[in-house]
Amino acid sequence: MDAHSPTGKITAWLAQLDAALTAGDGAAAAKLFAPTSFWRDFVSFTWNLKTMEGPEEIEAMLKATLPAVKPRNWRLEGDATEADGVTEGWIAFETEAGRGEGHLRINADGGFTLLTTLRELKGFEEKKGASREKGVLHGADPNRRTWKERREDEAATLGYTEQPYVVIVGGGQGGIGLGARLRRLGVPTIIVEKNPRPGDSWRNRYKSLCLHDPVWYDHMPYLPYPEHWPVFAPKDKIGDWLESYTKIMELNYWGATTCESASYDAAKGEWTVKVVREGKPVTLRPKQLILATGMSSVPNIPDIPGAQDFKGTLHHSSKHKGGDGWEGKRCVVIGSNNSAHDICADLWEHGADVTMVQRSSTHIARSDSLMDLALGALYSEEALANGITTHKADMIFASLPYRILPGTQIPVYAEMKERDKDLYERLEERGFLLDFGEDGSGLFCKYLRRGSGYYIDVGASELVADGKIKLKVGATERITPNGVVVAGEEIPADLIVLATGYASMNGWAAQLISQEVADKVGKCWGMGSGTTKDPGPWEGELRNMWKPTQQEGLWFHGGNLHQSRHYSIYLSLQIKARMEGLATPVYALQETHHKS
């Protein structure tokens, strides 16, 4: 092998890393990394989601974890590549507990970025391929139970005479996808959902709602959408897919079930979760409780003076059903992000007189431009033709530590700003407040930092730019019996929609468990960037998502379809390891800096 080739360089570096780690010499391993370097680990070393920055942090992590992890057999998978002074390749390795995969970049100074992820637990692998279940026991058996009877038995006993190991609260796409992974790992799980049917959380939204992310970005675990699936799926189509998926993946899904309360018994190491299923109270006692109510679980409803005196219809965007019945009516939508734009456009299409109230600047990214400039290289037909599968795309995205992600995004959005200059100029002429993130890093970073503040334009921005959707910029001062006062001007209204977003996910923990537990866990989402709505200190990973929290046995799962799909791998493996009694020493448990 040519030692100076990309493959030779990666192979040699991995051999040095393997030797140092096998010898238990964390200091020697850390010296292989450049002064500016990052090791991002998903569960394989830290039983956590954690990014170490620089050789000092890497050495500290290795000193704490090497005795138990015992990493070995590091190897390059396929050929390495090289561009602009950076050599990179896909890697595989083993630990005492499992098998891992990852990605490595090295530069002239040493290791630059290393991603290590746990792929499977030894002895507890998913049954698939050659190890799949036979499905039937050949031969004669007078006590034979059919598949249907076994499923009926499970449905009749789990949660009643037998307790689940996991209860997932929230049966949207996140809870369903995670439930599928746990099912494949043999973890007894019940998904609790207030709506009657899987997919109802989509069906119940405003009727014009479609996914703003493209199909290649949005696959569920195990079952990708068929090749004819539309690029941007309508909400009811997604709802039907989720309902079918739940049946195919054989999930224990308790629809029409409300979760009343949950409390943790530290001595027993179990939760008491009280639910009402189809009108009947049931008490569940899982060891692990996962809140999968997502980013849109607790509506943020501002306290606007005079709201109680409004004579028209006033509701949050989560309760808005669509534009039917509002023809010729005066409608005011407070907010200027995704839902606000969608609702305004839908009301305009139904003949309403629509005003959008913008309270602060919004990042606008045209869908076509976002596809071409930001997503296409990883999630598109072109990407698939280039051999980039959904999983590989997820791993490439994960291989970029959050510290350096903004720097990779700034050029993308600078190009977008120039490409769509005409739209942006026309919006600003109307008085619309635009931004591209506080550092110019655009949509993805804004989403990771705060989960809001943007609109993926699928047409509403043109309506604003053309004046078809009216715009009023300023603070909402009060609501009158017949309208809303913004920046000193009263806007008459028959309908006011509060498209004011959602609170932190730990707000649901406060409602379900207690404010004390919610405060103990702290803020969910954001990475401590020090930007608006994402206060420091720097975390390096999203707060409290898909990893252990300060409350034993409590986990948070959510995000978009891409995040739910990818990170459910690591959350399910953490749960499975605990169920099987494996040692799971958590390195650098998430600290609490902000309560909400």
Side-chain angles (χ1 to χ4, degrees):
M1 180 188 301
D2 181 1
H4 299 290
S5 69
T7 294
K9 291 178 183 179
I10 294 288
T11 300
W13 194 94
L14 286 175
Q16 293 179 74
L17 180 68
D18 194 19
L21 296 182
T22 301
D25 192 345
K31 288 178 181 177
L32 296 171
F33 288 83
T36 299
S37 54
F38 306 88
W39 184 332
R40 193 177 194 194
D41 181 64
F42 292 170
V43 184
S44 61
F45 277 68
T46 60
W47 290 105
N48 200 352
L49 274 61
K50 177 69 177 174
T51 298
M52 284 59 64
E53 302 187 359
E56 186 175 338
E57 289 189 11
I58 291 170
E59 181 179 352
M61 181 274 288
L62 292 173
K63 182 178 179 180
T65 62
L66 278 180
V69 175
K70 296 182 175 62
R72 52 194 179 269
N73 196 20
W74 295 80
R75 59 197 183 277
L76 176 66
E77 298 276 279
D79 293 326
T81 60
E82 192 168 71
D84 300 322
V86 176
T87 308
E88 60 184 295
W90 296 101
I91 64 170
F93 61 96
E94 292 183 33
T95 68
E96 192 73 359
R99 300 176 188 89
E101 61 182 345
H103 187 271
L104 170 66
R105 294 182 183 90
I106 58 177
N107 58 27
D109 297 322
F112 176 43
T113 69
L114 175 61
L115 170 69
T116 51
T117 72
L118 185 64
R119 188 180 75 243
E120 62 185 1
L121 295 166
K122 292 178 179 177
F124 305 103
E125 298 86 352
E126 290 186 4
K127 294 180 179 180
K128 60 183 179 179
S131 65
R132 72 177 73 214
E133 294 180 355
K134 198 168 185 178
V136 64
L137 183 64
H138 291 163
D141 183 356
N143 299 312
R144 183 185 301 277
R145 304 286 288 172
T146 65
W147 170 84
K148 183 174 184 292
E149 289 170 328
R150 294 195 303 272
R151 283 290 291 143
E152 290 171 345
D153 291 344
E154 183 179 22
T157 58
L158 191 63
Y160 297 99
T161 59
E162 297 179 12
Q163 287 300 317
Y165 185 75
V166 175
V167 165
I168 299 174
V169 180
Q173 70 271 8
I176 289 171
L178 176 61
R181 293 210 188 272
L182 292 169
R183 179 78 179 183
R184 288 283 296 269
L185 287 169
V187 179
T189 301
I190 290 176
I191 302 169
V192 172
E193 168 58 40
K194 63 182 179 181
N195 291 306
R197 296 162 54 200
D200 278 351
S201 57
W202 285 90
R203 297 186 187 98
N204 293 341
R205 298 295 303 276
Y206 53 93
K207 74 175 188 178
S208 64
L209 176 64
C210 292
L211 287 178
H212 287 192
D213 297 322
V215 61
W216 308 278
Y217 191 73
D218 291 333
H219 291 298
M220 294 289 287
Y222 308 113
L223 296 178
Y225 301 117
E227 292 185 352
H228 72 278
W229 201 259
V231 175
F232 302 105
K235 70 179 183 73
D236 295 288
K237 194 174 184 72
I238 290 291
D240 289 349
W241 178 266
L242 292 174
E243 186 167 25
S244 298
Y245 183 97
T246 301
K247 294 178 181 178
I248 293 168
M249 298 306 294
E250 302 178 21
L251 306 185
N252 294 298
Y253 191 97
W254 285 18
T257 302
T258 56
C259 196
E260 301 286 301
S261 66
S263 59
Y264 187 70
D265 187 326
K268 293 182 179 179
E270 72 177 24
W271 291 90
T272 298
V273 182
K274 295 184 177 180
V275 305
V276 176
R277 186 185 189 192
E278 298 176 341
K280 298 179 181 178
V282 182
T283 298
L284 302 171
R285 302 189 185 279
K287 299 295 184 183
Q288 310 292 338
L289 177 63
I290 301 173
L291 301 187
T293 47
M295 297 283 287
S296 305
S297 58
V298 182
N300 180 29
I301 302 177
D303 184 11
I304 304 174
Q308 70 280 1
D309 299 322
F310 183 57
K311 294 180 180 179
T313 299
L314 171 66
H315 55 226
H316 188 265
S317 59
S318 59
K319 303 296 183 183
H320 186 71
K321 300 301 182 184
D324 289 337
W326 295 106
E327 180 181 359
K329 303 294 185 180
R330 300 163 301 180
C331 303
V332 176
V333 179
I334 299 176
S336 57
N337 296 335
N338 264 338
S339 293
H341 278 83
D342 282 351
I343 291 169
C344 283
D346 181 54
L347 287 166
W348 180 86
E349 288 178 347
H350 283 82
D353 179 336
V354 188
T355 300
M356 176 188 291
V357 175
Q358 186 181 32
R359 302 169 297 159
S360 58
S361 64
T362 306
H363 171 57
I364 304 293
R366 287 186 62 247
S367 177
D368 289 348
S369 297
L370 192 67
M371 282 286 297
D372 292 345
L373 301 177
L375 284 175
L378 295 182
Y379 301 97
S380 66
E381 290 299 320
E382 179 185 1
L384 290 171
N386 291 331
I388 300 177
T389 63
T390 301
H391 181 63
K392 181 173 281 189
D394 291 348
M395 292 290 283
I396 292 172
F397 199 86
S399 74
L400 291 172
Y402 286 151
R403 178 75 80 175
I404 64 174
L405 181 62
T408 69
Q409 298 296 294
I410 290 171
V412 171
Y413 289 92
E415 184 175 352
M416 185 181 296
K417 190 173 185 179
E418 183 61 29
R419 174 174 172 163
D420 298 322
K421 182 179 179 180
D422 176 68
L423 172 64
Y424 295 136
E425 287 180 348
R426 289 189 294 120
L427 284 170
E428 289 182 321
E429 287 172 3
R430 289 287 174 185
F432 194 89
L433 302 178
L434 283 169
D435 72 58
F436 284 81
E438 292 179 30
D439 55 0
S441 59
L443 190 148
F444 291 139
C445 289
K446 205 167 190 184
Y447 172 70
L448 292 168
R449 290 164 174 171
R450 55 185 282 187
S452 64
Y454 57 86
Y455 168 56
I456 300 175
D457 178 32
V458 293
S461 289
E462 285 291 340
L463 296 175
V464 175
D466 290 342
K468 295 174 180 177
I469 294 173
K470 299 174 185 176
L471 178 67
K472 182 66 177 178
V473 176
T476 305
E477 297 172 5
R478 66 185 184 278
I479 292 175
T480 67
N482 300 303
V484 56
V485 178
V486 179
E489 178 186 345
E490 182 172 6
I491 306 170
D494 302 298
L495 167 69
I496 299 174
V497 180
L498 301 175
T500 47
Y502 297 84
S504 174
M505 277 180 276
N506 74 342
W508 179 236
Q511 294 181 27
L512 179 64
I513 307 168
S514 69
Q515 188 64 53
E516 180 183 3
V517 167
D519 290 346
K520 180 180 179 181
V521 169
K523 184 179 177 70
C524 295
W525 209 259
M527 48 190 165
S529 64
T531 57
T532 302
K533 297 187 178 181
D534 184 25
W538 177 250
E539 303 280 359
E541 296 291 342
L542 293 183
R543 298 181 188 93
N544 287 312
M545 297 303 300
W546 315 292
K547 59 185 176 181
T549 68
Q550 288 287 337
Q551 173 57 56
E552 183 70 25
L554 179 63
W555 310 77
F556 291 86
H557 178 58
N560 58 32
L561 280 154
H562 152 246
Q563 289 170 311
S564 293
R565 173 186 65 244
H566 189 213
Y567 288 98
S568 62
I569 298 172
Y570 312 113
L571 178 48
S572 63
L573 288 170
Q574 291 174 82
I575 297 293
K576 175 66 172 179
R578 283 162 172 78
M579 189 186 85
E580 299 298 345
L582 302 182
T584 56
V586 177
Y587 178 76
L589 180 67
Q590 174 76 59
E591 296 181 4
T592 302
H593 300 289
H594 308 281
K595 293 183 179 180
S596 63

